[in-house]
Amino acid sequence: MRFPKDFETRMRQMLGSEYDDFAAGWESAPEYRGIRINMLKKGADAAVKVCTGSLEPVSWCKNGFYIDKSMLSGKSPYHMCGLVYFQEPSAMSAVEALGIEENDFVLDLCAAPGGKACQAAERLGEGGLLVANEIVPKRAKILAENIGRMGIRNAVVTNESPERLAEKYEAFFDKIIVDAPCSGEGMFKKEPQASDEWSLEHTYSCAERQKKIISSAFKMLKKGGRLIYSTCTFAPCENEGVTAWVLDSYPEAELLEINLPGMSCARGEWAGTNRNLTAAKRIFPHISKGEGHYNALFRKNEGTSRSCIKEYKCGNEEIFRSFEKDFLNTDLRGEFISFGDKLYLLPHKIDIDKIRVELAGLFLGICKKGRFEPSHELCLALCPDDFKNVQDISEPERYYHGETLPSREKGWTAVIYNGYPIGWGKASEGMLKNHFPKYLRF
């Protein structure tokens, strides 16, 4: 492809004699496509590999793999029921570098469409809390849909500005992901229009916006907490430049070494700083199998830790418990909370008052005049053993089309394909009425 003139000039200055390899590698390397196998789904790796065969692993992500476009599509049952998440391989590196542990409180500040947020939730398991934020309302809805599809129970999706969240959750999070909006130079191959719209001035304006976002993020980080800053650009002002600014602006910030294979060291001189920034890492497509990416990991060594909890009272818990007794083999725990007729299960007593919330934990379903209608998200968050009624099918396409199926069950029934729930049906008089969401049907 033909690079913008100012981009080529800058990359030649950065890479020197290595520039020709960079340009040639850009032309010859394929567009890398990856999947991450959902660690929250037991046995998902074996199920996916039966479908796809042997897959080449992504060196910096233990459950990430390179995949050919012909192997799986967005209409695959494995994608539809949350066994896999399609993600560009380089983008998998940030969460791996962050080192999330069970019971952490994690914030993904710029989370849509949800790749890193879902990856963070996999590292948390069933413990801890994930707050995934997206400032653009339409993108926040997509984020919530992806979290629901992956069967994540312990996530809250917010639709707020970083500044507003910082007012609410000061010194609250153990780990924070800042995958900041950037100039997107690393995605020129995947999105050629990004190259047409690129300008050197835009990279500098992006850097200023990134600094404002990080300022809010640092306020929300506990003492001893870690923050990963990532971009998908090569621009030094957005990468090493922002990293140096953090260290200059926050004496309590320490740059930590990222020890992941397949990455190149950042270089402070590219951004005009004398600081040693080799602990931060870059991904160059002529060196590693991934698009352009940058990661810098910080620890906050001074400050405080605060809680932000609230007690909730919900009158609809009994309606759900009645449904649970009749149709589930579970005893779900958490804080029940209602928004209109929608019932949610918050993973912790986190205070979400006066915050725009798109998803308040696990969406359980809708309470309708004393009866309960379970959500699609509840079905995907459970295992086959959690249901009293199950119906195995061998042709999921019929279910995804919205067809009614014969059934020997009675009442709410989980439809199972190859050992995984793919949605609800309601059985009566020998037939299973299809409750797969209409907006998802093929």
Side-chain angles (χ1 to χ4, degrees), residues 19 59 63 92 144 156 164 219-220 247 267 280 304 306 321 337 367 406 420 422 435:
Y19 175 79
S59 63
N63 60 320
M92 302 177 188
V156 173
R164 177 71 186 96
K219 291 179 183 178
M220 292 184 274
L247 297 173
R267 294 172 59 176
T304 60
R306 298 182 183 180
R321 293 301 185 193
I337 184 170
C367 302
Y420 294 94
I422 63 173
H435 279 262

Side-chain angles (χ1 to χ4, degrees), residues 1-3 7-8 11-12 15-29 189 234 284-287:
M1 66 173 289
R2 187 176 182 86
F3 294 134
F7 174 83
E8 179 180 342
M11 294 305 296
R12 284 186 181 277
L15 299 177
S17 60
E18 196 178 342
Y19 175 79
D20 289 340
D21 291 337
F22 169 79
W26 195 298
E27 290 292 337
S28 61
K189 180 180 291 186
F234 301 109
F284 285 106
H286 68 294
I287 298 175

Side-chain angles (χ1 to χ4, degrees), residues 114-131:
K116 294 178 177 65
C118 293
Q119 188 178 1
E122 293 167 17
R123 299 299 179 267
L124 286 174
E126 295 184 2
L129 170 71
L130 170 67
V131 175

Side-chain angles (χ1 to χ4, degrees), residues 88 398 409:
E88 195 280 312
R398 292 184 60 193
E409 303 296 338

Side-chain angles (χ1 to χ4, degrees), residues 159-190:
N159 173 215
E160 284 289 354
S161 68
E163 294 85 358
R164 177 71 186 96
L165 287 182
E167 293 174 3
K168 185 78 169 180
Y169 301 119
E170 185 177 351
F172 183 67
F173 294 100
D174 301 289
K175 308 283 169 61
I176 296 180
I177 304 162
V178 179
D179 182 36
C182 69
S183 57
E185 296 174 357
M187 307 304 288
F188 280 176
K189 180 180 291 186
K190 183 179 179 181

Side-chain angles (χ1 to χ4, degrees), residues 24 27 33 54 64 73 78 110 170 180 248 253 257 302 307 316 342-343 388 418:
E27 290 292 337
R33 181 178 173 87
S54 179
S73 74
Y78 296 108
C110 314
E170 185 177 351
D248 291 341
E257 182 76 28
E302 298 177 9
S307 63
N316 289 325
K342 294 183 177 181
L343 182 64
K388 290 187 176 178
N418 275 2

Side-chain angles (χ1 to χ4, degrees), residues 176-238:
I176 296 180
I177 304 162
V178 179
D179 182 36
C182 69
S183 57
E185 296 174 357
M187 307 304 288
F188 280 176
K189 180 180 291 186
K190 183 179 179 181
E191 301 174 5
Q193 70 275 14
S195 174
D196 297 335
E197 298 169 359
W198 180 91
S199 71
L200 197 60
E201 293 76 12
H202 182 53
T203 65
Y204 287 103
S205 65
C206 285
E208 294 308 308
R209 178 169 58 174
Q210 290 151 1
K211 292 172 185 178
K212 291 179 180 178
I213 293 172
I214 291 178
S215 294
S216 295
F218 250 86
K219 291 179 183 178
M220 292 184 274
L221 197 62
K222 292 179 179 178
K223 179 182 179 180
R226 295 186 178 193
L227 181 150
I228 187 77
Y229 170 68
S230 70
T231 73
C232 59
T233 187
F234 301 109
C237 64
E238 299 179 67

Side-chain angles (χ1 to χ4, degrees), residues 156 312 314 316 336-346 352-361 363 365-367:
V156 173
Y312 293 95
C314 177
N316 289 325
F336 286 85
I337 184 170
S338 291
F339 291 89
D341 59 359
K342 294 183 177 181
L343 182 64
Y344 296 83
L345 191 67
L346 273 172
I352 56 175
D353 279 359
K354 300 180 181 179
I355 291 289
R356 291 195 297 269
V357 175
E358 185 65 38
L359 181 69
F363 176 36
I366 297 176
C367 302

